[in-house]
Amino acid sequence: DTRPLLIFDSHTDTVGVEGMVVEPFGAEIRDGKMYGRGTCDTKGTGAAMLCALKKYAERAEQPVRVAVMFSVDEEVSMDGIKHFLNKDYEGIKGDAPSVSVIVGEPTDLRPYVAHNGVLRWKLVTSGVAAHSSRPFNGRSAITPMLTLLQVVESEYIPSVTASHDLIGRAACAVTMLKGGHSPNVIADHCEALIDRRLSPGHASETVAKATEALKEVLDGTGLPYSLSTLMSVPSFSQTHNAELTERVSASLEVSRGEGAGVPTGINFCTHASWFSTHGVPCVVLGPGLSDKAHTKDEYICLDRLEQGVEVYLALMNDLC
């Protein structure tokens, strides 16, 4: 098949349901909204893609080959999309002269053409266990961790100043801390997780450079520690996407009105990082509000869902 290929990608996994104040899997419809885990992030995009594909399949002429892909593990390590690109992409591409991808995420139907990457470190300190009634027989792993985290907060985080016009500043935060296993035992192990958001387009905003800068600050304390990288996802920018961005923007201006196609960016990361790394043009686009993703009362507005179908269908028709 020598037609251009347009792939629509929507991930099927969600975050957990603890703390939700609506039935997570009830799909309750109330006041024009559907509530439940994943309605916004991102089952809504997948449903809209399927409905648009059904309508496209009814056309007599189909100048573009369209594929809808449901991927897994986006919320944790993105292993699903990496497997697809490394193992299955070439077979799906076949003889297509060009491939473009629409990554489904809740963007309120605005085209996202840039976003931050993510880098997560695990920082570990060690000690010697002892009964808490005789702390002098041990050495707490928590004490050096407190000092290390203090310099992370006071020295490293303020140095994270890289910025992107469409996204804003890069970011860093200590997100988890765990130490000890019993209230009457001196902790012999302590670990903290540090989340770093990497801004696109900066030489300093790479995994290697960011890790080197953090180690320099930690080494300044003179304390022993270990630092490992748990995961990394590259940032996403318009490097390979100028032509696709222009065409998506033009389609949105027609289907949704003036101003709807203005490209923008977001600070979270998506599968677009990996498509872009493989040189595949992509734009992030879908119904739903990003600030309702992962929330205790997650929902998607039904009128936006219906608009999402029409937007995706218009792209299938226009991007040929």
Side-chain angles (χ1 to χ4, degrees):
D1 195 326
T2 58
R3 293 176 296 169
L5 173 61
L6 177 59
I7 298 175
F8 287 81
D9 166 48
S10 178
H11 68 85
T12 58
D13 58 309
T14 69
V15 296
V17 301
E18 185 178 358
M20 292 194 72
V21 297
V22 297
E23 175 55 43
F25 307 115
E28 176 188 2
I29 295 177
R30 175 166 37 94
D31 300 326
K33 302 171 183 175
M34 178 181 286
Y35 290 84
R37 179 59 81 225
T39 51
C40 174
D41 186 13
T42 187
K43 309 297 177 107
T45 66
M49 289 170 181
L50 279 179
C51 289
L53 180 63
K54 181 177 183 297
K55 292 185 177 184
Y56 182 75
E58 294 168 354
R59 285 186 45 164
E61 296 184 2
Q62 300 170 14
V64 175
R65 182 159 57 101
V66 178
V68 174
M69 177 174 67
F70 292 98
S71 47
V72 298
D73 195 38
E74 190 271 352
E75 297 289 0
V76 182
S77 60
M78 298 193 178
D79 283 341
I81 199 64
K82 288 185 282 186
H83 179 90
F84 168 75
L85 287 166
N86 291 327
K87 302 291 186 180
D88 302 322
Y89 171 71
E90 290 299 329
I92 297 296
K93 177 183 177 183
D95 296 324
S98 64
V99 181
S100 302
V101 177
I102 303 299
V103 176
E105 291 284 356
T107 72
D108 199 28
L109 296 174
R110 298 183 64 193
Y112 288 176
V113 298
H115 62 61
N116 286 339
V118 62
L119 170 59
R120 293 196 181 116
W121 295 294
K122 180 166 73 171
L123 177 63
V124 176
T125 53
S126 299
V128 177
H131 196 286
S132 60
S133 66
R134 299 180 180 87
F136 43 82
N137 287 337
R139 186 179 73 253
S140 175
I142 295 174
T143 303
M145 178 63 79
L146 295 176
T147 300
L148 291 169
L149 292 183
Q150 184 178 34
V151 297
V152 170
E153 294 278 358
S154 64
E155 298 181 31
Y156 180 72
I157 292 178
S159 74
V160 177
T161 58
S163 183
H164 187 279
D165 290 344
L166 297 179
I167 303 169
R169 283 183 55 167
C172 183
V174 178
T175 56
M176 295 184 71
L177 179 63
K178 181 172 64 175
H181 54 83
S182 178
N184 60 348
V185 177
I186 300 300
D188 61 356
H189 180 88
C190 187
E191 61 184 54
L193 298 190
I194 304 172
D195 183 284
R196 175 76 156 83
R197 300 294 161 145
L198 302 167
S199 180
H202 296 271
S204 61
E205 293 292 289
T206 65
V207 171
K209 291 289 187 180
T211 302
E212 180 183 344
L214 177 59
K215 284 184 174 180
E216 184 176 346
V217 169
L218 296 173
D219 288 345
T221 66
L223 296 170
Y225 69 89
S226 68
L227 184 71
S228 58
T229 299
L230 296 181
M231 70 167 292
S232 63
V233 178
S235 58
F236 164 58
S237 65
Q238 293 168 286
T239 306
H240 309 288
N241 303 312
E243 181 181 353
L244 178 62
T245 297
E246 183 177 341
R247 295 167 75 182
V248 169
S249 295
S251 177
L252 287 168
E253 293 284 332
V254 172
S255 64
R256 299 202 63 231
E258 184 177 355
V262 177
T264 187
I266 194 65
N267 45 20
F268 58 74
C269 63
T270 75
H271 281 167
S273 295
W274 295 112
F275 282 114
S276 183
T277 297
H278 279 70
V280 183
C282 56
V283 169
V284 184
L285 178 70
L289 299 169
S290 61
D291 61 2
K292 293 311 299 180
H294 302 188
T295 59
K296 63 183 180 181
D297 60 344
E298 183 177 351
Y299 66 79
I300 190 169
C301 294
L302 296 183
D303 61 344
R304 274 291 195 264
L305 192 59
E306 293 171 356
Q307 291 170 26
V309 175
E310 298 309 313
V311 164
Y312 287 150
L313 179 60
L315 292 176
M316 294 175 187
N317 292 327
D318 294 344
L319 294 189
C320 63

